[in-house]
Amino acid sequence: MIIKPKGTYDIYGLESKKWQYVNNLIDTLCEKYNYSLIRTPIFEATELFHRGVCETTDIVKKETYDFIDRGNRGMTLRPEGTAGVIRSYIENKMHGDPNQPIKFYYNGTMYRYERPQSGRDRELTQFGIEVLGTNDPSIDAEIISLPVTLLKILGLKGIKVNINTLGDDESRNNYRAALIKYFAPHITSLCEDCQARYLNNPLRILDCKVDANNELLKNAPITLDYLNEASADRFNKVKHYLTLLKIEYNIDPRIVRGLDYYNHTVFEIEATVKDFGSNNVLAGGGRYNSLVANLDGPQTDGMGFAMGVGRLILALDKEEIKLDINETIDCFIMYVNDEEKEEAVLLTQSLRVNGFITEMEYTNRALKNQFKQAERLKAKYLIILNSEDLKNNIVTIKDSITKEETKLPRAKIVEFLDSKV
Ligand code: HAM
């Protein structure tokens, strides 16, 4: 037997209904916020992620699925959605569109070669948004408000919004210098990866899972102490808009995020759900005002976030949140002989076209078994065809709850069901 690769999942049955429900909600919500769907390739030139997400991050250094295609080109399965969206923005010259900011959302699979565990997969689905072409603090608040609203609509209570700012380039550089100075006497007490991070990108040290409980990290300088006036002022405006929108937040100066492209606002939304385990960050994002320029586009401000849809559904399960999922069908069509079966095929098609979720018996089972099948499918109405009645264009409809049976002219079925379903 061939089994699925580690860290991937099959979604079917009730589980896929949950995914569909959540995906539909995402589509509806993004439409209200006026974000348009963007679909970019699942694989891109390897260079995009190395320059975009940055060489020094774990995601690019250790977790990408890289391959050489048959034309000898280096390709990578996307580990996240932002880099592809930015590539598309530049390649399609969307910066020339007078209608800025451009607001996109996406919902698709990403690939990271991680150690699989609950909430941490190798094939993961991310829903995310990216806004390009504005640095206005009100958009930072809007971007944080969208996932918060989604979680509220879904009824997820145990959530915590953690925000921080890395400031502009000057602030970030000052902070970087402070970290280098702070860690210098203690380099050897850090894990091997952090020793390399010290040279390449010391902010990454604060994100380290190995050293997470090291006192040295806990007492490290915080970004907020190194902000210049403009950056501090900007952060105050973001907080003001969040307060205006009644979004409760917690300032967590330890958030620096796992990707290198961030400046100014960074945020994470945590699920404080019982038994959720350590992979409890449902969504993360931030501002990236240099990313478009780093990828050879014109200077363009941007910000976005992404949420793990699998993690979100796990959180809903842990909180035992019942989604309004339809597990019933409207009609099940039953018959005994082949002549009736032809009518069943036609009637099934006609009811489906008229908008009713309809299923029929396919394999001429005994009527007793057809009743059982209708029950398993949770059919609201059973339509029973028999040759004698059909000669007079009559069918029998049985309400599966009240057990009431009605004989109706065939032409009246849609009208009857319309009044009931
Ligand atoms: P990220 O923090 O790497 O950010 O991922 C965002 C979310 O994706 C996480 O909070 C988590 O819910 C989910 N996620 C990440 N890795 C896994 C995994 N292995 N298994 C299951 N879920 C996972 C980004 O990807 C950025 N591109 C977000 C962004 C958009 N920043 C600006 N724009």
Side-chain angles (χ1 to χ4, degrees), residues 322-340:
K322 280 251 166 288
L323 303 177
D324 187 15
I325 286 171
N326 178 25
E327 289 180 68
T328 62
I329 65 168
D330 297 324
C331 315
F332 183 70
I333 302 187
M334 302 159 65
Y335 58 88
V336 177
N337 60 37
D338 280 345
E339 188 191 334
E340 294 159 5

Side-chain angles (χ1 to χ4, degrees), residues 163-176 203-204 206 222-224 226-228 231 235 252-257 259-266 285-287:
I163 64 168
N164 189 25
T165 181
L166 302 171
D168 59 10
D169 286 351
E170 183 189 52
S171 310
R172 204 183 142 126
N173 287 339
N174 287 343
Y175 180 57
R176 190 175 186 278
L203 267 74
R204 280 285 73 72
L206 303 175
I222 59 171
T223 58
L224 299 176
Y226 294 86
L227 299 179
N228 58 23
S231 298
F235 192 44
D252 181 350
R254 302 282 154 212
I255 299 181
V256 289
R257 306 271 306 128
L259 308 165
D260 268 3
Y261 44 61
Y262 294 110
N263 58 6
H264 288 297
T265 313
V266 281
R287 182 155 281 287

Side-chain angles (χ1 to χ4, degrees), residues 59 80 82 106 112 114 119-121 124 126 130 257 259 261-262 281-286 288 304-308 311:
I59 293 174
E80 55 98 52
T82 312
Y106 50 88
R112 297 183 185 184
E114 301 206 61
R120 188 169 290 278
D121 307 295
L124 55 131
Q126 276 188 347
E130 311 294 346
R257 306 271 306 128
L259 308 165
Y261 44 61
Y262 294 110
V281 178
L282 294 183
Y288 46 79
F305 84 90
M307 173 182 282
R311 273 194 202 176

Side-chain angles (χ1 to χ4, degrees), residues 239-378:
K239 290 187 287 181
H240 169 74
Y241 286 119
L242 287 174
T243 307
L244 202 65
L245 288 171
K246 299 197 170 47
I247 293 175
E248 278 177 39
Y249 60 85
N250 168 48
I251 295 183
D252 181 350
R254 302 282 154 212
I255 299 181
V256 289
R257 306 271 306 128
L259 308 165
D260 268 3
Y261 44 61
Y262 294 110
N263 58 6
H264 288 297
T265 313
V266 281
F267 75 100
E268 289 182 348
I269 302 179
E270 249 180 273
T272 55
V273 173
K274 201 171 133 258
D275 298 333
F276 196 59
S278 57
N279 297 311
N280 68 341
V281 178
L282 294 183
R287 182 155 281 287
Y288 46 79
N289 289 350
S290 307
L291 186 54
V292 178
N294 286 349
L295 290 171
D296 306 330
Q299 169 52 41
T300 307
D301 300 322
M303 179 166 169
F305 84 90
M307 173 182 282
V309 181
R311 273 194 202 176
L312 168 61
I313 288 175
L314 201 61
L316 297 173
D317 286 345
K318 295 278 182 206
E319 280 227 316
E320 293 177 12
I321 290 177
K322 280 251 166 288
L323 303 177
D324 187 15
I325 286 171
N326 178 25
E327 289 180 68
T328 62
I329 65 168
D330 297 324
C331 315
F332 183 70
I333 302 187
M334 302 159 65
Y335 58 88
V336 177
N337 60 37
D338 280 345
E339 188 191 334
E340 294 159 5
K341 183 172 185 174
E342 293 211 346
E343 185 57 31
V345 169
L346 288 172
L347 187 56
T348 301
Q349 171 68 2
S350 150
L351 292 181
R352 286 174 178 166
V353 168
N354 277 284
F356 300 104
I357 308 172
T358 308
E359 192 49 280
M360 64 173 272
E361 168 63 21
Y362 294 107
T363 54
N364 300 48
R365 279 176 288 196
L367 263 186
K368 192 178 81 185
N369 292 333
Q370 295 188 36
F371 276 109
K372 279 193 190 144
Q373 177 68 356
E375 206 174 308
R376 277 192 292 267
L377 291 172
K378 300 193 177 88

Side-chain angles (χ1 to χ4, degrees), residues 91-233:
E91 186 176 340
N92 295 298
K93 299 193 172 52
M94 294 184 215
H95 39 83
D97 188 329
N99 187 20
Q100 306 285 327
I102 294 205
K103 308 202 309 182
F104 283 126
Y105 82 99
Y106 50 88
N107 189 351
T109 47
M110 314 286 158
Y111 298 85
R112 297 183 185 184
Y113 194 82
E114 301 206 61
R115 208 150 51 88
Q117 44 188 273
S118 171
R120 188 169 290 278
D121 307 295
R122 289 187 173 168
E123 181 179 68
L124 55 131
T125 302
Q126 276 188 347
F127 145 58
I129 66 178
E130 311 294 346
V131 179
L132 291 146
T134 180
N135 186 39
D136 196 89
S138 66
I139 206 84
D140 297 36
E142 175 178 306
I143 289 168
I144 297 170
S145 82
L146 195 150
V148 171
T149 305
L150 176 72
L151 298 175
K152 275 194 187 147
I153 293 173
L154 283 165
L156 197 68
K157 295 208 177 60
I159 60 162
K160 203 163 145 199
V161 180
N162 298 318
I163 64 168
N164 189 25
T165 181
L166 302 171
D168 59 10
D169 286 351
E170 183 189 52
S171 310
R172 204 183 142 126
N173 287 339
N174 287 343
Y175 180 57
R176 190 175 186 278
L179 285 180
I180 290 175
K181 197 165 157 205
Y182 172 79
F183 283 119
H186 312 284
I187 300 174
T188 49
S189 74
L190 297 171
C191 75
E192 218 173 279
D193 278 347
C194 280
Q195 295 190 22
R197 287 177 186 129
Y198 176 78
L199 296 172
N200 300 322
N201 188 346
L203 267 74
R204 280 285 73 72
I205 297 175
L206 303 175
D207 237 9
C208 179
K209 292 177 190 89
V210 180
D211 276 331
N213 292 321
N214 187 334
E215 284 300 312
L216 200 58
L217 264 63
K218 290 185 183 160
N219 299 322
I222 59 171
T223 58
L224 299 176
D225 291 336
Y226 294 86
L227 299 179
N228 58 23
E229 206 181 321
S231 298
D233 182 46

